[in-house]
Amino acid sequence: MKKLQPVRGTHDILGDKALRFRSIYEIFRRTAEKYHHHFIDTPIFEFTEVFRRTLGDTSDVVSKEMYVFEDRGGEELTLRPEYTAGIARAFMSNALTQSVPCKFYSYGPIFRYERPQKGRMRQFHQMDVEILGVPNVQADIEILALASDFLKGLGIGQHVTLELNSLGDSESRTSYREALIQYFSGFKKDLSEDSLKRLEKNPMRILDSKDEGDRALIVNAPRIAEFYNDYTKGFFADVIAGLDSFGIEYKVNDRLVRGLDYYSHTAFEFTTDQLGAQGTVLAGGRYDGLMQQMGGPETAGIGWAAGMERLAELIAADKIIAPIRPITVVPVGTDSQNAALKIAHDLRLAGFHTDMGYSGNMGKRMKRAHKSNSAFVILVGEDELTRGAVMVKNLDNGSQEEILLDHLQSYISGKL
RNA sequence: GCGGGUGUAGCUCAGUUGGUUAGAGCGCUAGAUUGUGAUUCUGGAUGUCGCGGGUUCGAGCCCCGUUGCUCGCCCCA
């Protein structure tokens, strides 16, 4: 082993970070299940085609961020760079098109070959929810409510704002796109280099450019709302009315654009100003055209994904689940080792979290027990054993008492 | 892919205009206390100064390259 370091952009998750991840996942799971979403776990790699077809060849994700490899059988595979395409594939592979609506939640690693930064890694973790087969606004409203409940459950509702937009149906979007191209083409010499490329590939992206020169032009650019047809207008109004009736706060941002090709209608992002350049903590939208793009039947879809690493930086201390306080069983001498092991085993069978003080002198074992956050140490010594008892020490107040083995479990459960 | 900052002990960091054996605190460890932790006291070990080359009588310090980390851009959770 030459390098004992993790691959760039990957991290080990342990200690406090592991606790945060577990806490967040637990709250996510409970919230998603309250909305009766079902757990789904799809492979972390798929045929490259699954992502290439759905995300669009020109998207940055496909063109420069995917971990693509060929396996020994010569198949072109890709580590998933996002959730939706894989779930959509699973939806069709398992013939669930016959069982709509389907509501899913999932959690796991996502891979993108990017330059790492704060809140951005090459392997990171997302929590994802999807509703498939509900084309009307009920799905939009519920998926946003689920997001809002989740973030409030984490205690970060105050630090996060919901930005909302409608990208319209394809008719509205096509005419808006043309209007944008026409408008910006008149200012080609003033546009930044990046935006000139966007003009070719994805003109709507110009709208969230950070370049100052671009921003001056954007102020007077056509607004998407002017190009909504009646259906889009009504749809968006209904989503907003739903949020109002739920008391969910939002900010309409008509410059909000989604990176991936398959979005339509509702698009949203929950952002924070506390994470530097990576402000988006949860984002998603409606993707009614996706299934068809993959060669399946027309199926409506909407969902979002939340970034675990980013949320872990924001989570309130009181939402982090307390580390478990075990009981540590310490044999006093080698003679009592077997008896101690048996006592620990019995405690575990009775449901107690139990650890062993394996080695070292008494001082060392006590120290380790203390460090492991133990509530009690059970000292198993020859003297006590002859009386059918053990010494139980409370590590919080230092008191200790000799307890008959027969009474051990009831004694401890009374004190925990 | 582009641009900036940075790298000394497990952690947080000192280290003079380049000058012998590279330091502190925390943590770790041994003992005081061979059946008792979080307090105290006394000892101990921390290290390829990221890596490779160069300049120099001499480099942790200067120069070049490289790599990791980090911040920003692109893009995104």
Side-chain angles (χ1 to χ4, degrees), chain A residues 1 3-12:
Chain A
M1 284 284 272
K3 300 186 191 175
L4 287 175
Q5 54 189 228
V7 173
R8 181 173 212 198
T10 67
H11 293 273
D12 302 310

Side-chain angles (χ1 to χ4, degrees), chain A residues 86-156:
Chain A
I87 290 179
R89 194 233 80 227
F91 175 76
M92 291 188 283
S93 305
N94 294 283
L96 297 176
T97 47
Q98 304 299 308
S99 334
V100 291
C102 289
K103 304 202 286 187
F104 294 124
Y105 75 92
S106 194
Y107 168 69
I110 300 287
F111 306 85
R112 284 183 202 166
Y113 189 86
E114 297 189 272
R115 188 84 170 257
Q117 258 176 256
K118 184 189 181 77
R120 187 163 81 199
M121 293 96 197
R122 289 184 172 178
Q123 174 175 339
F124 60 104
H125 299 79
Q126 285 189 344
M127 286 152 288
D128 182 89
V129 298
E130 311 284 353
I131 298 178
L132 297 169
V134 180
N136 65 50
V137 292
Q138 295 170 84
D140 302 59
I141 294 164
E142 285 203 333
I143 209 91
L144 280 162
L146 170 45
S148 170
D149 285 3
F150 168 48
L151 296 175
K152 279 181 188 147
L154 293 177
I156 60 172

Side-chain angles (χ1 to χ4, degrees), chain A residues 345-399:
Chain A
H345 185 239
D346 288 343
L347 283 168
R348 288 165 183 148
L349 290 179
F352 295 98
H353 292 98
T354 310
D355 200 2
M356 283 289 297
Y358 294 103
S359 64
N361 58 32
M362 280 302 288
K364 188 174 257 182
R365 294 187 204 209
M366 289 300 293
K367 217 174 193 172
R368 289 211 186 104
H370 181 253
K371 267 196 173 169
S372 77
N373 199 31
S374 292
F376 293 96
V377 167
I378 295 172
L379 290 156
V380 183
E382 291 297 309
D383 291 356
E384 291 89 341
L385 280 178
T386 59
R387 295 189 288 275
V390 287
M391 195 62 88
V392 177
K393 176 158 183 160
N394 180 326
L395 284 186
D396 290 333
N397 59 27
S399 68

Side-chain angles (χ1 to χ4, degrees), chain A residues 80 94-95 117 119 129 134 138 174 186 235 240 243 250 257 277 288 297 318 346 375 379 395 413:
Chain A
R80 66 180 174 206
N94 294 283
Q117 258 176 256
V129 298
V134 180
Q138 295 170 84
T174 305
F235 194 96
I240 284 175
L243 293 180
Y250 57 88
V257 170
D288 291 346
D318 67 330
D346 288 343
L379 290 156
L395 284 186
S413 50

Side-chain angles (χ1 to χ4, degrees), chain A residues 177-188 191-206:
Chain A
R177 196 187 167 94
E178 278 163 17
L180 277 181
I181 292 173
Q182 196 174 10
Y183 172 81
F184 284 115
S185 295
F187 298 101
K188 274 190 176 168
L191 278 176
S192 67
E193 206 178 309
D194 284 328
S195 286
L196 276 174
K197 277 183 224 150
R198 294 182 183 116
L199 187 58
E200 308 269 315
K201 281 165 57 176
N202 189 351
M204 285 171 76
R205 283 247 79 105
I206 299 175

